[in-house]
Amino acid sequence: MSQGNRVYIFDTTLRDGEQSPGCSMTVAEKLRMAHKLAELGVDILEAGFPIASDGDFEAVGEVAREFPWIQVAALARANTLDIERAAKSLEKAKRPRIHTFIATSDIHLKYKLKKSRQQVLEEAVSAVQLARRHVEDVEFSAEDATRTDWDYLEDVCRAVVEAGARTVNLPDTVGFSVPAEYGELIGRMVKALGDKAILSVHCHDDLGLAVANSIAAVQAGARQVECTINGIGERAGNCSLEEFVMATRVRQDRLPFTNGIHTEHLYACSQLLSSIITFGPQPNKAIVGENAFAHEAGIHQDGYLKERTTYEIIDPKSVGVPKTKLVLGKHSGRHALKDRLQDLGFDLNKEELDLIYQKFTEMADRKKGVRNDEIADLVRVHVPRAVTVAVK
Ligand code: KIV
Ligand code: ZN
């Protein structure tokens, strides 16, 4: 498998992201989000964990049906029931992937699985073999790989590839690793597997290092990065898709990797996700935060006005952020509000817009500015019809 410098973007917003607090999505919401992710150009879309709920089962099937050109992945623990359910959800998919996993660290083996290393290795191999009976494209993940004994991990990696896995994912499940160490681990496993499989990484952000670790891994030879929009995911979240992609775009001199992401859709994707789940990115979040392209300090404003690149390393238009930041406050008009509502996915008729405008001006009179989530809340409370339509 010649991999060159092309990095595959595996989006798990609809699975790892969706399973975290405040982020659950209906099937219709997953489809709306999948539409944007397809437009964005992700290579693999993990749409759910079919054994977990009927909704997840349905979502995987529907996403695969709507977007047949994308590889759609379904997650399954390394057991027969999970794998059969994942396979069924992907029955009509054109490019199905079963993503099966089992923990490999001693800490998980002792306390969670109560199994020996040999047992886990055998179960991993059987799971991959079973998945291969259903689909060609099987990914295996060694959960908690970064706290696993490296020699044992190498044995597991070799065995699952022998059993038919095309992608081997080594997750930093608890966000414990640091870049140099993770790069070393990935480099060793890339060497062990050669071109028999693609090495994938999946980093959590417990120490705020998920993006840095993913970059170190790609420099060491990983060619699939698992990530989410706005970095949502279990606990502190996953590697943020927009940050990883923009780091490689902006620093091609140091990170000469390619991917298929159309970056001009990043901001819209982030906004859509924020309107579906219960929170948006923090204002100072890189790339998609409200302040990512705002300048307040006088010296910065002065430099920026003389030459944009003095204080901006990214052209906001390249990630879909409108050049001029429209701050919605008490002086804003109906037109600006209507534009913002449309950006947020709400299509209101004249009477509804008048009502929201009235509520908006009442709120703006009491505050320094009105945020997107507050505007979306006004629609949810006063025009619930528009929310249902937007969700369809
Ligand atoms: O964090 C993790 O280990 C996971 C696996 C299921 C890939 O999400
Ligand atoms: Zn995870």
Side-chain angles (χ1 to χ4, degrees):
M1 233 175 271
S2 170
Q3 293 160 20
N5 275 1
R6 171 69 155 87
V7 174
Y8 295 100
I9 300 295
F10 176 114
D11 180 90
T12 185
T13 306
L14 305 184
R15 198 281 296 170
D16 208 320
E18 198 259 352
Q19 76 191 45
S20 61
C23 296
S24 69
M25 297 179 211
T26 63
V27 176
E29 287 167 335
K30 280 198 179 187
L31 275 169
R32 273 176 78 207
M33 202 55 220
H35 183 81
K36 269 269 175 277
L37 292 166
E39 201 170 50
L40 185 64
V42 304
D43 297 291
I44 304 114
L45 221 166
E46 187 165 54
F49 187 11
I51 196 82
S53 72
D54 290 345
D56 263 29
F57 177 87
E58 200 188 321
V60 171
E62 289 289 301
V63 169
R65 191 176 55 78
E66 287 268 322
F67 308 98
W69 64 92
I70 297 185
Q71 282 165 269
V72 174
L75 187 69
R77 284 166 299 187
N79 67 55
T80 306
L81 271 184
D82 277 38
I83 292 169
E84 300 287 358
R85 188 84 175 138
K88 188 135 189 61
S89 72
L90 288 166
E91 224 164 41
K92 301 217 167 68
K94 287 267 181 305
R95 303 186 67 195
R97 172 179 293 193
I98 295 181
H99 175 194
T100 185
F101 73 99
I102 190 165
T104 49
S105 66
D106 285 340
I107 201 163
H108 278 238
L109 264 56
K110 180 171 176 197
Y111 296 106
K112 189 180 86 175
L113 300 176
K114 303 189 192 319
K115 288 179 178 162
S116 68
R117 287 185 180 181
Q118 186 56 30
Q119 265 176 300
V120 163
L121 188 142
E122 284 166 13
E123 286 179 25
V125 166
S126 306
V128 170
Q129 285 168 338
L130 174 60
R132 274 303 302 263
R133 288 203 274 280
H134 293 283
V135 297
E136 295 260 296
D137 183 1
V138 173
E139 171 172 339
F140 172 80
S141 282
E143 194 190 9
D144 206 18
T146 51
R147 293 192 299 169
T148 299
D149 175 81
W150 287 18
D151 290 335
Y152 173 60
L153 188 61
E154 187 173 325
D155 290 344
V156 174
C157 290
R158 287 180 188 276
V160 294
V161 169
E162 199 55 41
R166 286 184 172 178
T167 305
V168 175
N169 183 37
L170 299 181
D172 186 22
T173 302
V174 290
F176 176 72
S177 206
V178 293
E181 173 195 41
Y182 198 48
E184 203 184 316
L185 171 68
I186 298 302
R188 171 172 167 174
M189 301 304 161
V190 166
K191 199 163 163 217
L193 298 182
D195 61 2
K196 292 197 189 118
I198 289 186
L199 216 301
S200 166
V201 291
H202 175 116
C203 296
H204 280 270
D205 209 30
D206 300 67
L207 293 174
L209 293 172
V211 175
N213 283 337
S214 303
I215 288 173
V218 164
Q219 288 178 305
R223 287 296 176 267
Q224 176 177 287
V225 170
E226 304 197 354
C227 44
T228 60
I229 298 297
N230 293 351
I232 66 167
E234 286 285 4
R235 304 180 312 282
N238 286 70
C239 170
S240 145
L241 184 153
E242 59 277 7
E243 290 178 24
F244 173 81
V245 166
M246 289 314 292
T248 59
R249 288 289 158 94
V250 172
R251 297 305 310 272
Q252 273 287 300
D253 56 329
R254 289 271 167 177
L255 305 170
F257 305 106
T258 62
N259 57 65
I261 296 298
H262 306 293
T263 60
E264 65 278 12
H265 294 295
L266 284 171
Y267 185 66
C269 228
S270 161
Q271 291 282 299
L272 177 65
L273 179 66
S274 307
S275 75
I276 289 174
I277 62 174
T278 58
F279 57 91
Q282 77 268 20
N284 60 338
K285 163 87 170 60
I287 321 296
V288 293
E290 283 296 299
N291 294 348
F293 296 97
H295 304 275
E296 177 134 2
I299 294 172
H300 289 210
Q301 286 178 341
D302 181 54
Y304 172 81
L305 288 170
K306 287 174 175 147
E307 165 54 39
R308 185 187 66 77
T309 55
T310 53
Y311 284 100
E312 265 183 8
I313 59 165
I314 299 169
D315 180 344
K317 288 200 282 308
S318 71
V319 293
V321 172
K323 187 174 164 36
T324 315
K325 194 176 167 191
L326 274 183
V327 178
L328 284 184
K330 64 180 179 179
H331 301 296
S332 303
R334 220 172 282 253
H335 192 177
L337 178 65
K338 187 176 176 201
D339 267 13
R340 184 66 58 89
L341 286 163
Q342 274 167 353
D343 285 349
L344 293 173
F346 301 117
D347 197 13
L348 305 192
N349 62 34
K350 185 176 174 314
E351 288 69 38
E352 290 165 343
L353 180 63
D354 285 347
L355 175 64
I356 294 301
Y357 184 66
Q358 183 208 327
K359 299 290 172 195
F360 162 78
T361 49
E362 283 167 19
M363 181 182 271
D365 259 341
R366 286 180 269 116
K367 302 175 83 271
K368 291 205 186 306
V370 182
R371 297 189 315 264
N372 284 347
D373 61 312
E374 293 170 322
I375 295 170
D377 275 348
L378 287 178
V379 179
R380 270 188 207 106
V381 173
H382 300 288
V383 192
R385 173 208 71 81
V387 179
T388 322
V389 169
V391 160
K392 272 186 187 150

